[in-house]
Amino acid sequence: MSMDIVLATRFGPSSAEPAAVAAELAHRYDGRLTVVYVAVELEALNAIGGESGVDPHDERERMLAGIHEELRQFVADNLSAEDVTTRVVEGGHVADAVTDIAREIGADFLVVGTRGRGKLARLILGDTTQSILHNTPCPVVVVPLHEPDGEGA
């Protein structure tokens, strides 16, 4: 039985754990894996506009090229390239983008990592994982992230 699995990632060393879980699901169920990265950092370009002396279009293209390369490297380092596709969403709300893609491809599982922020951080920052859980079209596998020394949030 072949399954479609979506892995939402932010890259970085702590993202290897959710990738390993997604890879195991794909292997176990002869599945296809879609790795999704939501490029929220691109939204800052809209705020800057041309005020900084930087051409927003050129900067966007440069940033996107870097994101695609980082995603390619993440897949190479953490996943078997077989049956892996990648998607970069150019900004927007992370939970909405991830659940929209899961819905679009008819995902059987969605794998996400969570840092388990405290109540105050959830109140201020919102909780992407909680939002995904409330809006997902499929079962969600939540993997706690254990950040190596020196890796920030």
Side-chain angles (χ1 to χ4, degrees), residues 12-25:
S14 65
S15 296
E17 294 171 75
V21 170
E24 175 60 28
L25 285 169

Side-chain angles (χ1 to χ4, degrees), residues 73-91:
Q73 190 62 53
F74 174 79
V75 169
D77 291 346
N78 295 285
L79 302 163
S80 168
E82 293 177 19
D83 293 323
V84 175
T85 59
T86 59
R87 303 266 300 263
V88 172
V89 179
E90 296 182 27

Side-chain angles (χ1 to χ4, degrees), residues 24-91:
E24 175 60 28
L25 285 169
H27 176 74
R28 183 175 296 172
Y29 297 108
D30 190 30
R32 293 174 300 275
L33 184 57
T34 300
V35 181
V36 178
Y37 179 85
V38 182
V40 296
E41 60 271 33
L42 294 176
E43 292 178 0
L45 292 176
N46 296 333
I48 295 171
E51 297 175 19
S52 65
V54 173
D55 180 333
H57 176 74
D58 290 346
E59 184 63 15
R60 179 181 206 82
E61 292 304 311
R62 186 192 65 72
M63 287 176 74
L64 271 173
I67 290 166
H68 281 281
E69 175 55 27
E70 196 168 358
L71 183 54
R72 186 201 64 71
Q73 190 62 53
F74 174 79
V75 169
D77 291 346
N78 295 285
L79 302 163
S80 168
E82 293 177 19
D83 293 323
V84 175
T85 59
T86 59
R87 303 266 300 263
V88 172
V89 179
E90 296 182 27

